[in-house]
Amino acid sequence: MGPGTAPGSATGRLAPGLSSEEAARRHDRDGPNTVPPPRRTPAWRLLLAQLTHFFAGMLWIAAGLALISGAGSLAVAIAVIVVLNGVFAFLQEHKADRAAAELTTLMPARARVLRDGEGCTVDVADLVVGDVVLLEAGDRIAADLRLEDSHELTIDESMLTGESVPLARAVGADVFAGTFAVQGDATGTVTAIGTATRLAGIAALTERAERPSSPLAVQLHRLVLVVAGIAVAVGVLLAGVSISLGTEIAAALLLGVGVMVALVPEGLLPTVTLSLARGAQRMAGENALVRRLDAVETLGATTFICTDKTGTLTRNEMAVVEGWTRAGSFTVAGAGYAPDRVVDAPPAALALLREAAVGSGACIKGRAVRRDDRWVADGDPMDAALDAFGRSLGSAPEDRVVPTARLPFTSAAMSSAALVAGTAYVMGAPELLLARCVDTSPEGAEWAELADLSRRGRRVIAMARATGPAGTTEASLAAATAGELTLLALIGIEDPPRPDVADAVALCRTAGIRVAMVTGDSAATAAAIATEVGLLAPGGTVVLGADLPDSDREVADLLDRPEGAVVARVTPADKLRIARALRTHGHVVAMTGDGVNDAAALREADVGVAMGRSGSDVARAAADLVLLDDSFATIPQAIQLGRGTFANIRRFLTFHLTDNVAELVPFVLWAMTGSDIPLAIGVLQVLALDIGTDMLPALALGAEPANERTMSGPRRTTQVVDGRLLRRALLVLGPTEALLSMGAFLTVLVLGGWSWGAQPPAALLATASGSAFAAIAVGQVANAFVCRSETRPAWLVDPRRNPFVVAAVAVEAVLLVAFLTVPWLTRQLGGTWPSTAGWAWCLAAVIALPLVDAAHKALRRRVG
């Protein structure tokens, strides 16, 4: 749009908007255009919830029973566990919420306004009463407005009224903050901002809605319930065995309660939340903004990407470079949006091109502007390219005509139109317009030129003039442009691929992720770009959206090809069908979109991906992931981080479950032998292992960075807990650690003179118990390094890649020494400094656990 211009109306030009000085004065007077944030749950209530949920309730009951039975130390220990886990979970939830709030600042809300007679973009918070706001399809309305100009504008008011059908809004109507422009464009004057808007006055909108649990959360809650069920069953069983051996009921009850408390994985879910939050922050550092934490894991499971072409695979830096008129072809020298490029064309062709420029200038809204000694696009890049082309033909910005009537571009019509001085012009998809031009034929030169331009990867725009009477209204303009046309020009626009796209597509293929281009452009142009970036190989599918099969299964079979696929001239309904068809074919689908009509497809896909720079507000609101740089290459980077986060969750789950086996075995052996084998470790020692020595290594495993093997082949499993993980933790690592700890315990006892069934002296039992405790703790040190990889031996994983693990095990070693040497702690826990034989078993744990794990991995590779 030229300086001082705006979408026109029958009444003439609109006012140039406020001056910058007046806008600043009103901002100082009225304050920023912000509404009160949603009412948040007080911190004390969140903390209380973490201290009173189901598992916490179980533990409080256990603490009460212990206190009543006279076991004050156990009661205090259980209470400390509840408080520590509650505080930890609260801090992680608070940290995740704060991280999400910080991430949203990476994508500030913006609005287009007229100020000082020029179109400019400002932060939504800087809107003031009296500002002239320019609306386009897909914009979120940022303040209450009264429409001064409207072209087929429809508004989605579902946020305010619940009405799902978009409503038409004409000149003089009020539109409200929080709603969306679905179709058309308009200009409106701000009538209310901030707390004075209708949006701020609706109290119900200030409450946050509850989201359903994600698949990951469901899996983890199921795991916690299963493990907790096992813990309760084991606790009850051991209490019964203890009673049968003659133990007092109170003591037996305390034993069962203690075992149950020790085995409940109450700290697991907060650890997962922290890992997801860390993954989201890492993605933000790679220009991928995750709008929901659970989308981090879903993104890592992606197996099929449906991507747009323009701005995602290409740079979205457009320039008219060549084209055709009936009077001859033309070329344009130079590059970019500079308005002084040289157009080389026959004189008769120049006349047609100048008329085409008048029509296109009336249809478009964007323009080329000079900023920081560089010509850039202000608004839609294609509009800016056409504006620069028209100015290269000799038209000045002030010559740009305000149309008497205008029809904005719609995906259904694939064209836009404008009425200028009684003549109707239409601009749009060449296949549709050429078919209606009276001066063309299927065998004509124009079709051959269109094919040549498309094969060279040009985005082709047809410009035509209506032959019939145009009238003076939008209705008459629609009627005129729906009839017979005369072709003025085919305009070839260059939009080169991004330099990093080819490598990104290759990375997707290496990772077993299939890619399809889903675009509104022509099939030939799309295929040319897809071939250039390696997305389309020989034998790949190229099909028009209108030619897709009727059956969703046939659609999936057509597109699900390793050679790639291109679907051209798609409609929003086509994108929705494609996402649904691929999902029913078993794929986890990521779908990109930037337009207002893409929202349904983005919601249908497993991962909706919107553009941060060029995308509409509607698309961003519907998306799970927003590309802050609009680049396709960001998607596989985000998938790699998502896979890494998923792998980290499996790492610390393996770590936790291994420890549970080693902690449970001493109680099982004590019960199975009728106490002939003394209890190797007590309940308080188990709690010390869970909270004191295991928590930090588990958190450190959640920070393991993704490596180059993360994208080598498809993701091996879609389940966070599967048979492979359980076999490794419960049948390999856990039993190995349990064998070593019981070996240390029994060796120390036997060397101290103990015999089967005898009660060992207290000092000997304390030394043996300390040895078993140390063997488990040291085994978990080795296990932290073992769990860093599911496929490679621990010694092949570079410790420098995750210094948090090294730091965590160092802290674990300090705590272990404290638990074994500080007198008060040794009295409470019941174990003392290990003997030489005990330390030998600890050393064996450091060696044996990695060796056993490596042997298991080698066997697993051999059997497939």
Side-chain angles (χ1 to χ4, degrees), residues 442-464:
E443 298 80 21
E446 59 278 347
W447 288 98
E449 291 294 336
L450 171 60
D452 286 342
L453 289 169
S454 298
R455 274 194 296 270
R456 291 196 290 274
R458 307 303 186 215
R459 183 174 189 175
V460 185
I461 302 297
M463 195 72 214

Side-chain angles (χ1 to χ4, degrees), residues 683-702:
V683 172
L684 290 180
Q685 286 171 302
V686 172
L687 296 177
L689 287 168
D690 285 345
I691 302 301
T693 62
D694 282 359
M695 186 65 74
L696 287 180
L699 292 175
L701 287 171

Side-chain angles (χ1 to χ4, degrees), residues 438-802:
V438 296
D439 54 344
T440 66
S441 65
E443 298 80 21
E446 59 278 347
W447 288 98
E449 291 294 336
L450 171 60
D452 286 342
L453 289 169
S454 298
R455 274 194 296 270
R456 291 196 290 274
R458 307 303 186 215
R459 183 174 189 175
V460 185
I461 302 297
M463 195 72 214
R465 179 200 321 121
T467 59
T472 59
T473 66
E474 290 184 357
S476 62
L477 172 62
T481 54
E484 294 181 339
L485 306 173
T486 298
L487 181 65
L488 294 175
L490 296 175
I491 301 171
I493 299 175
E494 180 183 52
D495 185 14
R498 293 176 179 267
D500 53 0
V501 165
D503 289 341
V505 171
L507 179 61
C508 289
R509 293 193 187 282
T510 301
I513 301 169
R514 295 189 174 176
V515 185
M517 180 192 291
V518 182
T519 178
D521 215 332
S522 70
T525 300
I529 296 296
T531 302
E532 184 175 350
V533 301
L535 187 153
L536 187 66
T541 298
V542 180
V543 63
L544 293 175
D547 296 333
L548 287 172
D550 294 332
S551 165
D552 283 354
R553 178 176 292 277
E554 291 178 2
V555 169
D557 289 338
L558 182 66
L559 303 183
D560 190 5
R561 302 174 62 88
E563 300 88 359
V566 171
V567 188
R569 296 299 188 205
V570 294
T571 64
D574 294 330
K575 296 184 76 169
L576 182 63
R577 276 197 65 207
I578 290 168
R580 183 181 299 125
L582 290 171
R583 289 187 68 197
T584 57
H585 217 237
H587 280 292
V588 177
V589 180
M591 172 74 75
T592 72
D594 55 10
V596 59
N597 292 321
D598 290 333
L602 295 181
R603 291 191 183 98
E604 175 66 30
D606 298 281
V607 181
V609 183
M611 304 299 113
R613 292 179 181 174
S614 61
S616 67
D617 294 331
V618 178
R620 287 194 289 264
D624 304 293
L625 181 74
V626 178
L627 304 183
L628 299 177
D629 58 358
D630 288 10
S631 175
F632 175 84
T634 302
I635 299 177
Q637 291 175 356
I639 290 174
Q640 182 174 15
L641 290 172
R643 286 188 176 187
T645 300
F646 178 83
N648 287 347
I649 294 173
R650 288 176 58 86
R651 287 183 177 105
F652 59 67
L653 280 174
T654 305
F655 183 82
H656 272 300
L657 294 176
T658 299
D659 190 38
N660 279 3
V661 173
E663 293 166 349
L664 181 60
V665 164
F667 293 93
V668 173
L669 289 179
W670 171 83
M672 290 179 64
T673 62
S675 77
D676 285 344
I677 296 179
L679 192 58
I681 57 174
V683 172
L684 290 180
Q685 286 171 302
V686 172
L687 296 177
L689 287 168
D690 285 345
I691 302 301
T693 62
D694 282 359
M695 186 65 74
L696 287 180
L699 292 175
L701 287 171
E704 189 74 26
N707 55 55
E708 63 278 1
R709 287 170 298 280
T710 305
M711 296 292 278
S712 60
R715 199 171 82 169
R716 293 168 182 83
T717 179
T718 59
Q719 299 294 316
V720 69
V721 179
D722 59 3
R724 176 172 170 172
L725 183 149
L726 293 176
R727 286 190 296 272
R728 185 182 178 209
L730 303 182
L731 301 180
V732 179
L733 296 178
T736 301
E737 198 171 283
L739 177 64
L740 291 163
S741 66
M742 290 306 300
F745 178 71
L746 294 174
T747 298
V748 172
L749 285 181
V750 170
L751 292 179
W754 171 80
S755 59
W756 184 273
Q759 179 63 34
L764 177 61
L765 182 61
T767 302
S769 181
S771 299
F773 178 84
I776 295 176
V778 173
Q780 283 295 88
V781 169
N783 193 30
F785 291 97
V786 161
C787 289
R788 291 186 64 200
S789 174
E790 288 194 48
T791 58
R792 295 188 300 157
W795 54 84
L796 294 182
V797 183
D798 188 350
R800 295 171 298 181
R801 283 184 54 82
N802 188 355

